Amino acid sequence: MPDAPSPSPSGTLAIGLGVLALVAYGVLGASPSSPALPTGQLALAALLVIAGVAIRQGRSPRWGEFVTGALVGLIAYDLIGRLFL
């Protein structure tokens, strides 16, 4: 029986960043420009966690890491905008 593949570090990193983004959006809450909770951003952060789990388990397609990187960039851009602008 072959050994199971070791967990991917990029998947673990994506899971950690997704959880961190969920916490950040929960702490920041609503921004002055939109008084409601950022449900779209929360959904993107949750999708990042799910993509990280898929990458970590080796079930992600080849383009999965690219999409995950794009999600990280999108979430980082939004969080920086909420914090500093």
Side-chain angles (χ1 to χ4, degrees):
M1 197 173 208
D3 293 335
S6 62
S8 168
S10 60
T12 305
L13 180 64
I15 293 169
L17 289 174
V19 169
L20 186 64
L22 285 169
V23 170
Y25 282 124
V27 168
L28 291 175
S31 69
S33 60
S34 71
L37 277 175
T39 54
Q41 289 89 342
L42 288 171
L44 286 177
L47 185 61
L48 180 60
V49 172
I50 292 168
V53 170
I55 291 170
R56 186 166 189 237
Q57 293 180 350
R59 297 183 181 184
S60 172
R62 287 185 184 200
W63 47 267
E65 290 192 29
F66 174 76
V67 171
T68 302
L71 279 173
V72 168
L74 202 74
I75 290 170
Y77 178 77
D78 183 62
L79 282 173
I80 289 171
R82 286 176 181 266
L83 288 173
F84 298 112
L85 299 177

